[in-house]
Amino acid sequence: MTHVDLISPQQVKTLAGLFAERVARTPEQPAYRYYQQSSESWQQCNWAETSDRAALWQQAMQADGLQAGDRVAVMLNNRLEWVLFDLAATGLGLVTVPLYVNDRPENFAYILQTTGAKLLLTDGIEQWQRIEQVGDKLENVERIVTLQTVCVGDCDLRLRQLDDWLPEPNGHSYQALANAADDLATIVFTSGTTGPPKGVMLSHGNILANAAAGLERVEVAREDQFLSFLPLSHMFERTAGYYIPIMAGACVAFVRSIDQLAEDLLEIRPTILVTVPR
């Protein structure tokens, strides 16, 4: 038996409202699965646990003085931290600017400059070395958070490792402060193959309408399992493989890597896979 439990854009108006409504409806249902390197095993968190984690990210963003309308950038492969960053940001009325992890340094520097992004979330030493190549162009970036330690000793003063940046769990609840469908949710840039990358400004209502339209064509139930591997920095995966599952209450697993996609397909056994011709 499957349960179709869709949340409509008219009920929630914003992406943060969508997430808060999903947590309220099905708090104990599985939301995300991810591979934990330290334990070498797949882990799972439900919607209530995801909300608690996103609340910690919101507190860290607020501690850095970020205000509604500020731009915040994320340069990560698909993983739970990407989602937590975006959920926290949209809940506070911040504007998410996704970056491609393999983009040229001059390209992502241009995007960070153009948007005036104040916060950048990235992964480890390889990305940090590329960021350092264009460090003189990132004056507007006030905080750089990395998932791994990338520097010891004399480091960039803006640099914080994620575990040090996030507060300890303290019982604070997730905040859904953005309250208008027309509020800006994200700026997504083209690849830059025909000149400098061009930013597309999308509102909460834009994205919710697209997600709802997709669900008019393809039925998604709470029992469905997605496997996410197309880049979340592109709106196709972000809408169909991230926001639609929230709207429908389905679970998303994040692939370990493209090289391990075949293995993860066997392990996760998804019922839905968002993909493109290759």
Side-chain angles (χ1 to χ4, degrees), residues 132-184:
E132 285 188 307
Q133 295 176 34
V134 291
D136 59 333
K137 300 178 182 178
L138 306 182
E139 305 94 341
N140 52 280
V141 179
E142 298 173 359
R143 174 73 69 203
I144 301 170
V145 179
T146 61
L147 301 190
Q148 306 170 41
T149 300
V150 298
C151 177
V152 293
D154 189 16
C155 301
D156 190 310
L157 295 178
R158 300 172 295 177
L159 192 63
R160 294 285 296 278
Q161 201 269 333
L162 179 63
D163 290 342
D164 296 328
W165 182 66
L166 291 175
E168 292 294 326
N170 49 35
H172 282 234
S173 298
Y174 177 78
Q175 301 179 64
L177 302 182
N179 55 20
D182 289 339
D183 285 349
L184 183 62

Side-chain angles (χ1 to χ4, degrees), residues 88-99:
T90 54
L92 295 176
L94 305 173
V95 179
T96 300
V97 180
L99 304 171

Side-chain angles (χ1 to χ4, degrees), residues 210-224:
N210 276 345
L215 286 169
E216 290 178 2
R217 294 294 181 182
V218 179
E219 182 177 287
V220 180
R222 288 207 316 243
E223 291 78 12
D224 276 313

Side-chain angles (χ1 to χ4, degrees), residues 20-277:
E21 176 64 18
R22 173 51 58 202
V23 174
R25 286 194 189 189
T26 54
E28 303 302 322
Q29 287 289 314
Y32 297 102
R33 295 177 68 186
Y34 57 96
Y35 190 80
Q36 188 176 69
Q37 292 292 345
S38 59
S39 64
E40 297 185 345
S41 63
W42 287 92
Q43 304 293 314
Q44 180 171 287
C45 60
N46 62 31
W47 292 106
E49 292 165 340
T50 304
S51 178
D52 290 342
R53 293 189 189 190
L56 295 178
W57 287 69
Q58 288 186 323
Q59 291 173 60
M61 291 173 176
Q62 290 174 317
D64 276 342
L66 293 169
Q67 303 288 329
D70 285 343
R71 277 60 165 159
V72 292
V74 52
M75 187 165 58
L76 291 178
N77 288 315
N78 294 18
R79 56 191 303 154
L80 182 60
E81 288 84 359
W82 205 111
V83 168
L84 293 172
F85 179 93
D86 183 62
L87 290 173
T90 54
L92 295 176
L94 305 173
V95 179
T96 300
V97 180
L99 304 171
Y100 287 97
V101 293
N102 296 320
D103 207 354
R104 301 190 305 274
E106 58 269 25
N107 258 16
F108 66 69
Y110 172 81
I111 293 171
L112 291 168
Q113 281 183 311
T114 301
T115 58
K118 295 184 176 182
L119 168 66
L120 171 62
L121 173 68
T122 189
D123 190 357
I125 189 66
E126 182 178 342
Q127 289 183 349
W128 175 245
Q129 289 172 342
R130 292 166 61 238
I131 291 168
E132 285 188 307
Q133 295 176 34
V134 291
D136 59 333
K137 300 178 182 178
L138 306 182
E139 305 94 341
N140 52 280
V141 179
E142 298 173 359
R143 174 73 69 203
I144 301 170
V145 179
T146 61
L147 301 190
Q148 306 170 41
T149 300
V150 298
C151 177
V152 293
D154 189 16
C155 301
D156 190 310
L157 295 178
R158 300 172 295 177
L159 192 63
R160 294 285 296 278
Q161 201 269 333
L162 179 63
D163 290 342
D164 296 328
W165 182 66
L166 291 175
E168 292 294 326
N170 49 35
H172 282 234
S173 298
Y174 177 78
Q175 301 179 64
L177 302 182
N179 55 20
D182 289 339
D183 285 349
L184 183 62
T186 189
I187 305 176
V188 180
F189 280 76
T190 62
S191 61
T193 53
T194 57
K198 300 168 183 65
V200 179
M201 303 172 74
L202 297 173
S203 70
H204 291 258
N206 291 149
I207 298 169
L208 288 171
N210 276 345
L215 286 169
E216 290 178 2
R217 294 294 181 182
V218 179
E219 182 177 287
V220 180
R222 288 207 316 243
E223 291 78 12
D224 276 313
Q225 173 70 71
F226 286 70
L227 181 62
S228 176
F229 78 98
L230 292 183
L232 280 167
S233 45
H234 194 284
M235 282 309 300
F236 179 44
E237 175 65 27
R238 191 164 160 197
T239 303
Y242 164 27
Y243 295 131
I244 277 181
I246 298 176
M247 193 169 275
C251 183
V252 177
F254 299 104
V255 71
R256 287 175 291 170
S257 70
I258 295 299
D259 292 339
Q260 294 169 295
L261 176 58
E263 297 174 33
D264 290 352
L265 280 166
L266 292 172
E267 176 71 27
I268 300 300
R269 297 189 177 276
T271 58
I272 298 177
L273 186 70
V274 179
T275 188
V276 294

